[in-house]
Amino acid sequence: MRYELSVNGQTVAVDVAPDTPMLWVLRDHLDLTGTKYGCGGGYCGACTIYVDGNIARSCQTPVSTVADMAISTIEALHENHPKLVEVWEANNVPQCGYCQSGQLMAAAALLDRNDSPSDADIDAAMTGNICRCGTYTRIRAAIHEVAAYDATRKGSEEDAA
């Protein structure tokens, strides 16, 4: 079947079976390879994308269920969260890097809904995103740093107004 999708703000068309996971639509049909295959069962988080502003495991999300929704991938993250990747790298979060697109997407989703997350908030939001290298304390530190940066910038904008 033919599906028109909104991916990273652009309308694209794909001709795939209705049960094709979005992971394979993105990687094999749209050449968006930042979203990674990890476990194939939705447990590890490497394949995390946004669907209408909510995180979703693309390996478990059939294309037929998201045809009328806004889909965002790691390739568009810099547009909405320019500081996140910079701080992520400055905190030496990536080790092997395989889980990072899913980790970053989950972190961005958390920061979109909570501009001052506690350690417990971060742990809860990041549960389900497995990092085999164990950089969880660096992930937490990076999220806190981005939240503090965003709060400072927001305060400066309010003062200017």
Side-chain angles (χ1 to χ4, degrees), residues 13 49 51 64 67 75 96 100 109 112 127-128 147:
I49 60 173
V51 177
S64 61
E75 285 86 355
C96 77
Q100 294 308 300
D112 283 345
T127 296

Side-chain angles (χ1 to χ4, degrees), residues 81-139:
H81 293 278
K83 192 72 173 171
L84 185 58
V85 174
E86 177 185 326
V87 169
W88 212 257
E89 291 172 357
N91 279 274
N92 294 314
V93 173
Q95 293 294 305
C96 77
Y98 202 82
C99 70
Q100 294 308 300
S101 61
Q103 298 281 2
L104 283 160
M105 294 298 285
L110 168 63
L111 292 167
D112 283 345
R113 67 179 184 278
N114 184 344
D115 58 5
S116 184
S118 67
D119 284 349
D121 295 331
I122 294 169
D123 293 347
M126 301 307 289
T127 296
N129 286 79
I130 297 171
C131 175
R132 294 189 187 274
C133 300
T135 64
Y136 299 112
T137 56
R138 294 179 197 169
I139 289 168

Side-chain angles (χ1 to χ4, degrees), residues 6-140:
S6 174
V7 179
N8 297 334
Q10 300 200 349
T11 301
V12 295
V14 294
D15 190 10
V16 296
D19 61 346
T20 304
M22 277 303 300
L23 176 65
W24 303 122
V25 171
L26 295 169
R27 292 182 61 81
D28 294 346
H29 297 274
L30 301 177
D31 293 324
L32 296 172
T33 58
T35 303
K36 303 297 184 200
Y37 175 83
C39 65
Y43 305 112
C44 74
C47 68
T48 300
I49 60 173
Y50 288 170
V51 177
D52 275 351
N54 298 303
I55 62 170
R57 303 295 193 233
S58 64
C59 72
Q60 296 294 301
T61 304
V63 66
S64 61
T65 65
V66 297
D68 296 326
M69 301 177 181
I71 301 159
S72 296
T73 69
I74 190 69
E75 285 86 355
L77 187 67
H78 67 279
E79 294 172 22
N80 297 320
H81 293 278
K83 192 72 173 171
L84 185 58
V85 174
E86 177 185 326
V87 169
W88 212 257
E89 291 172 357
N91 279 274
N92 294 314
V93 173
Q95 293 294 305
C96 77
Y98 202 82
C99 70
Q100 294 308 300
S101 61
Q103 298 281 2
L104 283 160
M105 294 298 285
L110 168 63
L111 292 167
D112 283 345
R113 67 179 184 278
N114 184 344
D115 58 5
S116 184
S118 67
D119 284 349
D121 295 331
I122 294 169
D123 293 347
M126 301 307 289
T127 296
N129 286 79
I130 297 171
C131 175
R132 294 189 187 274
C133 300
T135 64
Y136 299 112
T137 56
R138 294 179 197 169
I139 289 168
R140 187 187 295 155

Side-chain angles (χ1 to χ4, degrees), residues 147-157:
Y149 170 82
D150 288 345
T152 300
R153 192 183 74 206
K154 185 178 181 181
S156 296
E157 289 172 0

